[in-house]
C-alpha cells in the first residue's frame, strides 16, 4: 500500500515536473542593460540592450525602446518587437536619464530590488542627458554598449575612482535614514563613453552633481579608502629651494596606502561633528625640486597637503549642505550617538544644512618614490 | 541514576561473555558439521568399494587402485598430485603391508594425513583432492591430502594499480592468498577461521582477523551471516559480499573488494575483518565506511601533504562527476542568470545549433561515453584501447560538427567521466557514474531544485546505510572528530595513531609508546 502510494506520488511529481517554466538559453533574449528616461508626457521611455544568439548571425546586440507608464510595462512592449522572449536575469547595468533622476528613481529601485531574477549586484548609473540617446548612438568602435558601460564602471569602481553603485549599496542608502545615495554619471564624448561625475541625491531625487575628480573626497568620508590615487595642488612658495616663481600652485599626485576615518558628534544641538582622517601615502609626482631627506621640508609639505585637502573637503561639504544632500552619512552618526533621536529623513534634512563639521586631516608621507 | 548506569554496564559485560561462549559453540558446530547423521565406513573391502561408488555416483575420473590384497586406494584423477602419490604413498604402503591405517599415517611423508570414520567427510575430502586409503577389516579410512591445484602465478593487480608500493595481487588459490597475508603479518595473532559455503560447490571461505584487535562481536556477526547463507554455489567473493551486506538493495557497496594484499592487511591491522574465498582473486574487507572507498592504499606511501592533496582531488572529483553535467543541464534549462557573462556568449553560440533541449543532449552524450567504456571493458585489451580512442575522437568531433551536441558539453561529460575513474574502488566508481543519470533527469525537470532534491535523497540514503552494523558515513555522521585526521586528508603518521572508531577495535592505539625507564634517564 505504502509502496503503491509512493509510486503514485513519484509519477505525479514527475508529471508535474513538466510544468516548471523552462528558460532555454538559446530561446531567450537577454537584456544586458536597461535605460530609463522620462519623456515630455511624463511617461517612461525604456531602452533595452538585448543580446540574442542566432545560428546564422552568431551573437548580436540590438537596442530597442518603448514608451509606457511603468518600467515593466515597457518591457512587455519591447517583447512585441523581438523574436525571443526577453529575460532580465543577465542584466548588469541600469541607467537613468537626467530628467528621470530629477523626478525621482525610488520606484525603480523598489522594482529592481523585488525582481528575483536580477541580482542585487547590478550597477546603477545616471546619464548626462538622455539614456536613450547614449545607447542608440551608432558607435564605431563599440560592439556591445551594455558590456562596454558595465566594464567601464566596474573598472573605475575597482580602481576606486568612483563609488561602487551596486543596487545593494544604493538601496541600503535609499531605505535607511541618515545617508543619501550617490551614483556615477556617464556621458558620451564623441565616440567614447566616459565617467564624468557623481550624482548626488536627496532621498530619491537628483539634487546636485560633482565632477569625477571630487569622488575621491566622497570615498574618503563614506568608507574605507585603500588604494586610490588622487591629485591636489599646494602653494608653490613652501619650497625654500624652489627657484622658479614661487607664487604659482604646484600639482601633487598622491597615492594612499591606508586611511582611517573617525566621525564623531561633539554637539547634538547644533549639530556639530568632528571628522578626523588619517592618511598614509606616498608621493608619486611632484612638479618641484624638493629635498626629501630633510624632515623639516617633509613636514612643510605634509602641512601644505593637509591644508589643501581640508579646503577641498570643506568646499564639497558646503556644496552638499547647500543642496541638502547628506552623502557623507552624518545623519547615520547622529542617529547612532543620540539616544531616542527618532530620526526621520525629513527631520534630519531640516538640521543637516546648518550642521557644522570640523575637519582634521593628518596626511603622512611614508615614501617618496624610488630612483632606479 | 548511577545505579542504573552500573546495571547497564554489567548487562553489557554479561552479553559480551555470552557472545564469547556463543562463538566457541559455533566453532564446534562448524567442525562437527558433517557428523550429524553419520554414515559409517564399512570395514569390509567389497562393501566399502560399492559404498564409495554409490555415494560418489561413480564418476569416470574416480580411480580405484588395489595396492595389496587388503589395501585399496581411491582418488580423483587430476585432483591429486600424482608425483607424491607414486613417490611417497605407494612405496610406503607396499613396504608395510601389514601395518594398520593408523600406523601407516605416521609413516607417510606428506604434510597432512587424517583418520576418519565418517563416510560423508571422506567423500568430501575425496572431491577436494585427498587420496583415501582403506584397509580391509578396519572401520576407519586414511585421508592423505595430496591435492594439487593449477593456479595462476602471482601477478600485479590489474584493477587497482598504484605507482608506489608493492605490485603483487591475490590470485585464485586460497592457500596462496593466505600465505600472502601471512607474509605481511607474521604473528600468531592472525587468526584464520574456515567455513564452507554452498550446498553444491562446497567452497572454502576464510575469515581473517587479528585476535587481539578485532571486535569479537563483529566476528560473531560476520560468521553468523556467512553460515546462515543458503545458497547452492559460491563462485566469487563479490557475490558473497553482496549476500552478506547490511543492505543488499543499495547500489553502494558496503564491503570493500580488493585484490591487493597490502590493502587487505592494512584493513586487518585497523581491526577490520577480512574474507578470502577459494577460487576468487578478490578479498573482502569489512566494515568499510563510504569515505574509505575513496582512499587509496598508496596514500599511506606518499608524504602526507601530497597524500592529502590527492585525496582532496579524488573527493572533489566525486562531486564533479556527479554534479557537473546536471549543473550544466539545470543552468541552461532554467537558470540562465547564474552563467558568468564571459561564458554566456560561447555557451549560447554553441548551443544555438543544437536541436535538442539540454537534458536530451546531456543524456545522449553520457550514454555514448558509457557505451564506449563498456565496449572498452568487454573487448580484449588491445582492441578495447583502440575502440576507446577512435570512438572518443570520431564520435566527439563528429557529434559537434553535426550539431547534435555543444562542444562545451563534450568537455563537461569527458571531465565527469574522467573524474569518476579516479575512485580507487571499481565497484564504487561504477556507482558514482550510474547515480549521475537520475540527477541529470531531475535537473532537466526541476533545475537546481531537482539537483538539490537528488542530493538530499542521496545523502539520506547514505546516512541510512551501515556496514556490518557500523555507520556508513562515519566519521562525518555520526561525527568522530579524531577520525577526521585520516579521512579526506591524511595528517602525518604520529597524528593518525588511532584505529578508526567504526572498526570497534579492542586496542584503539596502533602502537603504544614505550615507558621511559626512570633509572636510565
Amino acid at each position: 500500500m505504502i509502496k503503491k502510494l509512493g509510486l503514485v506520488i513519484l509519477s505525479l511529481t514527475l508529471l508535474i515536473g513538466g510544468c516548471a517554466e523552462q528558460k532555454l538559453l538559446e530561446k531567450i533574449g537577454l537584456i544586458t542593460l536597461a535605460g530609463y528616461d522620462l519623456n515630455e508626457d511624463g511617461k517612461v521611455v525604456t531602452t533595452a540592450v538585448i543580446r540574442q544568439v542566432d545560428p546564422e548571425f552568431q551573437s548580436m546586440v540590438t537596442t530597442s525602446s518603448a514608451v509606457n507608464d511603468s518600467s515593466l510595462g515597457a518591457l512587455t512592449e519591447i517583447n512585441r518587437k523581438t523574436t525571443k522572449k526577453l529575460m532580465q536575469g543577465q542584466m548588469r547595468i541600469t541607467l537613468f536619464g537626467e530628467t528621470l533622476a530629477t523626478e525621482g528613481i525610488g520606484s525603480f529601485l523598489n522594482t529592481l530590488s523585488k525582481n528575483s531574477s536580477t541580482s542585487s549586484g547590478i550597477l546603477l548609473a545616471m546619464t548626462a542627458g538622455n539614456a536613450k540617446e547614449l545607447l542608440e548612438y551608432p558607435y564605431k568602435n563599440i560592439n556591445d554598449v551594455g558590456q562596454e558601460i558595465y566594464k567601464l564602471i566596474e573598472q573605475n569602481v575597482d580602481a576606486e575612482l568612483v563609488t561602487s553603485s551596486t543596487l545593494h549599496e544604493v538601496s541600503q542608502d535609499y531605505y535607511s535614514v541618515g545617508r543619501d545615495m550617490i551614483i556615477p554619471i556617464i556621458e558620451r564624448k564623441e565616440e567614447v563613453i566616459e565617467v564624468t561625475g557623481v550624482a548626488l541625491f536627496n532621498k530619491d531625487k537628483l539634487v546636485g552633481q560633482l565632477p569625477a575628480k571630487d569622488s575621491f573626497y566622497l570615498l574618503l568620508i563614506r568608507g574605507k579608502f585603500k588604494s586610490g590615487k588622487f591629485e591636489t595642488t599646494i602653494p608653490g612658495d613652501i619650497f625654500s629651494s624652489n627657484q622658479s616663481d614661487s607664487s604659482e600652485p604646484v600639482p601633487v599626485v598622491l597615492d594612499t596606502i591606508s586611511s582611517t576615518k573617525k566621525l564623531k558628534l561633539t554637539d547634538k544641538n547644533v549639530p556639530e561633528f568632528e571628522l578626523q582622517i588619517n592618511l598614509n601615502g606616498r608621493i608619486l609626482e611632484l612638479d618641484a625640486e624638493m629635498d626629501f631627506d630633510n624632515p623639516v621640508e617633509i613636514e612643510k609639505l605634509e602641512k601644505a597637503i593637509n591644508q589643501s585637502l581640508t579646503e577641498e573637503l570643506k568646499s564639497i561639504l558646503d556644496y552638499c549642505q547647500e543642496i541638502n544632500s547628506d552623502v557623507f552619512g552624518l545623519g547615520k552618526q547622529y542617529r547612532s550617538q543620540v539616544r531616542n533621536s527618532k530620526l526621520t529623513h525629513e527631520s534630519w534634512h531640516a538640521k543637516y544644512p546648518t550642521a557644522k563639521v570640523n575637519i582634521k586631516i593628518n596626511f603622512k608621507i611614508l615614501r617618496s618614490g624610488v630612483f632606479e | 541514576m548511577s545505579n542504573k548506569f552500573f546495571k547497564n554496564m554489567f548487562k553489557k559485560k554479561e552479553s559480551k561473555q555470552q557472545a564469547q561462549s556463543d562463538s566457541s559453540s559455533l566453532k564446534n558446530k562448524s567442525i562437527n558439521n558433517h557428523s550429524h547423521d553419520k554414515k559409517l565406513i564399512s570395514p569390509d573391502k567389497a562393501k566399502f568399494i560399492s559404498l564409495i561408488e554409490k555415494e560418489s555416483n561413480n564418476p569416470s575420473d574416480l580411480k580405484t587402485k588395489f595396492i595389496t590384497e587388503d589395501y585399496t586406494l581411491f582418488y580423483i584423477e587430476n585432483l591429486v598430485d600424482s608425483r607424491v602419490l607414486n613417490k611417497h604413498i605407494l612405496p610406503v604402503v607396499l613396504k608395510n603391508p601389514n601395518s594398520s591405517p593408523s600406523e601407516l599415517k605416521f609413516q607417510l611423508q606428506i604434510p597432512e594425513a587424517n583418520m576418519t570414520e565418517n563416510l560423508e567427510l571422506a567423500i568430501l575430502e575425496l572431491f577436494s583432492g585427498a587420496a583415501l586409503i582403506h584397509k580391509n577389516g578396519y572401520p576407519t579410512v586414511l585421508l592423505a591430502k595430496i591435492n594439487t591445484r593449477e593456479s595462476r602465478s602471482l601477478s600485479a593487480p590489474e584493477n587497482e594499480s598504484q605507482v608506489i608500493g608493492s605490485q603483487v595481487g591475490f590470485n585464485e588459490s586460497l592457500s596462496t592468498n593466505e600465505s600472502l597475508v601471512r607474509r605481511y603479518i607474521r604473528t600468531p595473532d592472525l587468526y584464520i577461521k574456515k567455513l564452507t559455503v554452498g550446498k553444491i560447490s562446497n567452497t572454502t571461505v576464510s575469515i581473517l582477523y587479528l585476535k587481539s584487535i578485532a571486535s569479537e562481536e563483529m566476528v560473531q556477526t560476520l560468521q553468523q551471516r556467512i553460515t546462515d547463507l543458503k545458497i547452492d554455489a559460491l563462485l566469487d567473493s563479490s557475490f558473497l559480499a553482496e549476500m552478506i551486506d547490511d543492505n543488499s538493495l543499495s547500489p553502494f557497496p558496503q564491503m570493500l573488494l580488493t585484490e591487493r594484499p597490502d590493502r587487505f592487511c592494512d584493513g586487518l591491522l585497523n581491526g577490520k575483518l577480512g574474507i578470502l574465498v577459494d577460487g576468487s582473486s578478490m578479498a573482502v574487507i569489512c566494515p568499510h565506511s563510504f569515505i574509505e572507498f575513496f582512499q587509496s592504499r598508496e596514500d599511506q606511501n606518499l608524504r602526507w601533504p601530497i597524500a592529502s592533496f590527492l585525496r582532496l582531488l579524488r573527493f572533489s572529483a566525486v562531486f564533479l562527476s556527479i554534479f557537473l553535467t546536471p549543473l550544466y543541464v539545470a543552468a541552461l534549462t532554467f537558470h540562465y542568470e547564474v552563467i558568468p557573462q564571459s561564458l554566456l556568449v560561447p555557451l549560447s553560440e554553441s548551443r544555438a545549433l543544437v536541436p535538442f533541449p539540454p537534458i536530451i543532449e546531456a543524456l545522449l552524450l553520457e550514454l555514448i561515453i558509457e557505451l564506449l567504456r563498456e565496449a572498452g571493458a568487454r573487448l580484449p585489451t588491445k582492441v578495447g584501447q583502440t575502440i576507446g580512442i577512435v570512438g572518443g575522437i570520431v564520435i566527439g568531433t563528429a557529434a559537434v560538427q553535426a550539431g547534435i551536441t555543444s562542444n562545451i558539453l563534450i568537455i563537461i561529460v569527458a571531465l565527469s567521466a574522467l573524474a569518476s575513474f579516479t575512485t580507487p574502488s571499481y565497484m564504487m566508481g561504477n556507482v558514482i557514474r550510474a547515480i549521475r543519470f537520475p540527477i541529470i533527469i531531475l535537473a532537466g525537470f526541476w533545475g537546481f531544485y531537482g539537483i538539490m532534491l537528488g542530493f538530499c535523497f542521496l545523502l539520506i540514503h547514505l546516512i541510512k546505510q551501515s556496514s556490518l552494523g557500523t555507520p556508513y558515513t562515519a566519521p562525518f555522521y555520526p561525527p568522530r572528530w579524531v577520525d577526521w585526521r585520516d579521512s579526506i586528508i591524511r595528517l602525518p603518521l604520529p597524528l593518525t595513531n588511532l584505529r578508526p572508531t567504526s572498526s570497534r577495535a579492542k586496542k584503539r592505539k596502533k602502537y603504544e609508546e614505550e615507558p621511559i625507564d626512570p633509572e636510565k634517564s
Side-chain angles (χ1 to χ4, degrees):
Chain A
M1 185 61 205
I2 291 171
K3 271 186 186 167
K4 258 186 191 170
L5 198 73
L7 211 71
V8 168
I9 291 174
L10 189 75
S11 48
L12 251 177
T13 41
L14 283 182
L15 286 174
I16 293 166
C19 302
E21 192 200 355
Q22 288 199 342
K23 299 163 196 162
L24 288 176
L25 181 62
E26 65 271 17
K27 292 200 173 138
I28 51 176
L30 301 169
I31 298 178
T32 54
L33 183 149
Y36 299 110
D37 289 308
L38 213 61
N39 68 1
E40 294 82 15
D41 310 335
K43 287 198 170 186
V44 178
V45 182
T46 305
T47 314
V49 177
I50 302 156
R51 175 180 281 285
Q52 310 187 45
V53 178
D54 283 303
E56 293 87 23
F57 306 112
Q58 299 251 306
S59 162
M60 63 172 192
V61 177
T62 49
T63 49
S64 188
S65 69
V67 184
N68 202 298
D69 291 321
S70 66
S71 62
L72 289 178
L75 272 187
T76 329
E77 200 92 350
I78 296 174
N79 225 334
R80 291 204 193 110
K81 302 179 194 166
T82 54
T83 53
K84 288 179 175 179
K85 196 172 165 189
L86 292 184
M87 292 278 166
Q88 281 183 295
Q90 282 281 349
M91 196 159 78
R92 310 280 156 146
I93 287 266
T94 300
L95 293 179
F96 300 104
E98 206 171 338
T99 41
L100 181 69
T102 329
E103 282 294 310
I105 58 171
S107 66
F108 291 87
L109 291 180
N110 193 4
T111 318
L112 277 175
S113 308
K114 276 187 196 160
N115 193 340
S116 65
S117 66
T118 55
S119 95
S120 65
I122 60 172
L123 291 166
L124 307 177
M126 196 190 91
T127 53
N130 246 339
K132 187 174 185 233
E133 279 162 24
L134 180 123
L135 293 173
E136 288 185 340
Y137 181 82
Y139 296 96
K140 274 182 200 153
N141 306 321
I142 301 170
N143 247 336
D144 182 349
V145 192
Q147 185 83 347
E148 174 78 13
I149 296 174
Y150 174 64
K151 281 185 179 164
L152 173 81
I153 297 180
E154 198 189 29
Q155 183 269 120
N156 277 297
V157 169
D158 279 350
E160 293 198 308
L161 297 174
V162 296
T163 49
S164 175
S165 62
T166 59
L167 178 63
H168 181 87
E169 288 159 296
V170 171
S171 51
Q172 191 200 350
D173 285 347
Y174 174 62
Y175 286 111
S176 65
V177 175
R179 195 160 91 167
D180 283 316
M181 55 193 193
I182 50 175
I183 59 176
I185 303 171
I186 57 171
E187 200 177 343
R188 180 178 70 81
K189 294 264 170 81
E190 300 300 323
E191 288 297 321
V192 291
I193 303 171
E194 64 175 64
V195 177
T196 52
V198 181
L200 311 175
F201 286 79
N202 179 346
K203 196 68 188 168
D204 67 334
K205 290 183 175 61
L206 176 76
V207 284
Q209 297 181 11
L210 279 174
K213 73 172 180 55
D214 286 343
S215 60
F216 157 71
Y217 299 102
L218 294 179
L219 281 167
L220 200 61
I221 305 173
R222 278 170 73 96
K224 276 186 182 141
F225 190 68
K226 267 178 284 177
S227 59
K229 241 179 261 178
F230 65 95
E231 190 190 327
T232 186
T233 48
I234 50 172
D237 51 9
I238 62 157
F239 302 108
S240 52
S241 56
N242 201 355
Q243 282 96 27
S244 61
D245 70 290
S246 53
S247 54
E248 255 183 53
V250 182
V252 203
V253 179
L254 301 160
D255 185 353
T256 51
I257 291 166
S258 66
S259 77
T260 54
K261 177 202 85 175
K262 258 186 213 159
L263 184 66
K264 236 165 96 192
L265 178 73
T266 47
D267 186 351
K268 68 174 180 179
N269 297 324
V270 181
E272 191 175 343
F273 293 89
E274 192 183 284
L275 178 64
Q276 164 110 34
I277 294 171
N278 292 321
L279 283 164
N280 290 325
R282 57 183 175 179
I283 294 181
L284 294 182
E285 198 180 324
L286 175 63
D287 195 17
E289 297 267 324
M290 189 190 146
D291 181 14
F292 283 109
D293 293 330
N294 189 350
V296 182
E297 290 275 284
I298 287 187
E299 208 169 292
K300 260 192 205 164
L301 182 64
E302 281 177 355
K303 232 179 200 172
I305 291 172
N306 284 343
Q307 182 76 31
S308 83
L309 284 181
T310 313
E311 271 168 24
E312 298 239 22
L313 260 183
K314 188 93 196 114
S315 72
I316 289 170
L317 242 168
D318 287 344
Y319 173 69
C320 288
Q321 279 181 321
E322 188 188 311
I323 60 170
N324 202 355
S325 171
D326 180 14
V327 294
F328 308 103
L330 297 181
K332 252 186 181 173
Q333 187 61 32
Y334 182 87
R335 195 164 155 262
S336 70
Q337 262 185 275
V338 179
R339 202 177 284 266
N340 279 331
S341 60
K342 297 212 171 72
L343 202 68
T344 62
H345 182 79
E346 287 71 30
S347 67
W348 171 243
H349 276 267
K351 285 184 189 135
Y352 173 67
T354 55
K356 251 183 89 180
V357 182
N358 303 315
I359 300 167
K360 274 185 197 160
I361 289 186
N362 184 12
F363 188 88
K364 247 191 150 158
I365 297 171
L366 292 186
R367 277 164 231 162
S368 54
V370 179
F371 284 104
E372 282 187 40
Chain B
M1 177 74 198
S2 61
N3 234 345
K4 224 177 192 175
F5 177 69
F6 279 114
K7 255 187 198 167
N8 281 343
M9 251 178 74
F10 279 121
K11 249 187 202 165
K12 236 184 186 172
K13 255 191 187 165
E14 266 169 31
S15 70
K16 239 185 194 170
Q17 273 171 353
Q18 210 174 345
Q20 268 174 350
S21 65
D22 269 5
S23 90
S24 54
S25 72
L26 234 152
K27 213 159 71 191
N28 292 336
K29 211 172 150 191
S30 72
I31 286 170
N32 300 331
N33 222 0
H34 305 287
S35 58
H36 269 297
D37 43 312
K38 253 195 220 172
K39 280 182 185 167
L40 293 174
I41 281 163
S42 162
D44 183 58
K45 181 180 160 185
K47 230 178 178 178
F48 181 66
I49 294 174
S50 68
L51 208 59
I52 286 276
E53 283 176 352
K54 196 189 138 207
E55 285 292 315
S56 65
N57 299 322
N58 199 12
S60 59
D61 52 356
L62 171 71
K63 299 289 163 192
T64 314
K65 191 180 170 83
F66 304 104
I67 310 174
T68 64
E69 197 145 318
D70 289 339
Y71 272 110
T72 322
L73 178 75
F74 302 88
Y75 65 91
I76 303 279
E77 203 183 3
N78 303 332
L79 275 190
V80 295
D81 192 340
S82 56
R83 211 169 45 86
V84 180
L85 192 69
N86 292 330
K87 257 193 174 172
H88 299 291
I89 295 180
L90 292 181
V92 175
V93 180
L94 281 170
K95 237 192 241 171
N96 312 294
N98 295 325
S99 55
S100 70
S102 44
E103 282 163 4
L104 200 64
K105 181 182 158 189
F106 296 106
Q107 281 158 9
L108 288 178
Q109 292 173 3
I110 54 168
E112 206 182 341
N114 293 329
M115 306 294 297
T116 182
E117 298 176 343
N118 185 349
L119 185 67
E120 266 180 38
L121 180 68
I123 296 284
L124 196 72
E125 287 294 338
L126 182 70
F127 280 97
S128 43
L132 305 188
I133 301 169
H134 179 256
K135 192 177 184 187
N136 196 10
Y138 287 88
T140 52
V141 71
L142 179 63
L143 298 171
K145 293 188 179 169
I146 49 168
N147 58 330
T148 168
R149 184 161 293 178
E150 300 302 324
S151 78
R152 185 160 70 89
S153 59
L154 291 177
S155 57
E158 262 182 40
N159 300 330
E160 287 173 76
S161 58
Q162 68 182 24
V163 184
I164 292 169
S166 77
Q167 301 291 348
V168 70
F170 286 129
N171 70 7
E172 283 78 10
S173 157
L174 179 64
S175 50
T176 316
N177 293 350
E178 280 174 2
S179 72
L180 270 173
V181 177
R182 281 256 187 240
R183 260 173 245 175
Y184 276 99
I185 307 172
R186 291 168 210 177
T187 166
D189 214 18
L190 177 64
Y191 200 79
I192 302 182
K193 211 174 235 185
K194 291 229 158 118
L195 303 167
T196 310
V197 175
K199 269 235 153 64
I200 296 174
S201 69
N202 283 311
T203 315
T204 316
V205 172
S206 306
I207 303 177
L208 285 82
Y209 57 93
L210 292 170
K211 198 145 199 209
S212 66
I213 296 170
S215 143
E216 292 289 344
E217 281 162 89
M218 234 176 236
V219 177
Q220 274 290 313
T221 316
L222 186 63
Q223 197 175 344
Q224 191 69 51
R225 280 189 196 175
I226 294 176
T227 47
D228 280 357
L229 281 183
K230 298 220 163 31
I231 47 173
D232 54 348
L234 178 63
L235 295 182
D236 198 75
S237 55
S238 48
F239 184 65
L240 179 76
E242 193 186 325
M243 296 286 280
I244 59 175
D245 261 352
D246 292 33
N247 179 3
S248 299
L249 300 176
S250 167
F252 292 94
Q254 291 131 44
M255 295 182 179
L256 177 74
L257 283 167
T258 180
E259 47 177 350
R260 303 195 62 90
D262 53 352
R263 203 172 179 189
F264 186 76
C265 293
D266 202 39
L268 293 189
L269 290 167
N270 273 328
K272 298 183 177 182
L273 318 178
I275 306 170
L276 289 171
V277 175
D278 198 12
S280 165
S281 62
M282 300 289 261
V284 181
I285 276 280
C286 59
H288 211 65
S289 70
F290 178 68
I291 210 79
E292 284 169 316
F293 278 95
F294 303 99
Q295 298 169 354
S296 159
R297 168 60 221 172
E298 201 177 353
D299 296 343
Q300 309 289 328
N301 303 347
L302 297 168
R303 321 275 310 182
W304 74 271
I306 308 301
S308 299
F309 166 68
L310 290 180
R311 276 191 183 174
L312 286 173
L313 189 76
R314 245 178 262 137
F315 292 127
S316 41
V318 173
F319 278 93
L320 217 68
S321 181
I322 300 178
F323 294 113
L324 201 58
T325 320
L327 277 177
Y328 170 87
V329 172
L332 260 68
T333 317
F334 295 102
H335 311 285
Y336 67 95
E337 300 97 337
V338 302
I339 303 168
Q341 197 167 31
S342 45
L343 208 62
L344 199 64
V345 176
L347 211 77
S348 47
E349 271 176 14
S350 74
R351 268 293 300 166
L353 285 167
V354 183
F356 312 118
I359 176 172
I360 303 289
E361 184 194 10
L363 284 177
L364 195 75
L365 213 57
E366 289 282 1
L367 203 70
I368 288 173
I369 286 266
E370 286 304 300
L371 282 177
L372 278 175
R373 186 197 55 77
E374 189 61 18
R378 297 289 151 252
L379 282 169
T381 324
K382 282 173 191 162
V383 189
Q385 270 177 7
T386 328
I387 286 292
I389 295 165
V390 172
I393 294 171
V394 170
I395 294 181
T397 332
V400 172
Q401 276 177 359
I404 292 176
T405 60
S406 66
N407 40 20
I408 288 173
L409 183 65
I410 288 217
I411 299 170
I412 288 174
V413 168
L415 197 70
S416 50
L418 204 64
S420 76
F421 288 119
T422 57
T423 309
S425 162
Y426 179 73
M427 299 283 243
M428 191 51 98
N430 281 344
V431 179
I432 297 296
R433 266 198 307 287
I435 54 175
R436 189 157 64 216
F437 285 91
I439 298 186
I440 292 176
I441 292 172
L442 280 175
F445 279 136
W446 286 327
F448 287 167
Y449 172 66
I451 295 179
M452 219 49 230
L453 217 63
F455 178 68
C456 291
F457 192 78
L458 205 67
L459 209 65
I460 292 169
H461 178 76
L462 279 176
I463 288 173
K464 251 174 75 182
Q465 301 313 309
S466 62
S467 172
L468 215 64
T470 63
Y472 194 46
T473 43
F476 302 110
Y477 188 83
R480 312 265 193 242
W481 302 111
V482 188
D483 291 351
W484 282 45
R485 294 177 190 173
D486 189 8
S487 54
I488 50 170
I489 50 164
R490 182 178 85 72
L491 289 187
L493 291 173
L495 289 175
T496 53
N497 186 22
L498 294 177
R499 299 201 164 86
T501 321
S502 58
S503 71
R504 297 192 182 139
K506 282 186 210 156
K507 289 180 192 162
R508 194 72 211 288
K509 276 188 178 166
K510 283 184 188 164
Y511 53 85
E512 302 280 350
E513 259 176 57
E514 294 204 1
I516 300 160
D517 205 336
E519 278 175 30
K520 269 185 187 171
S521 66

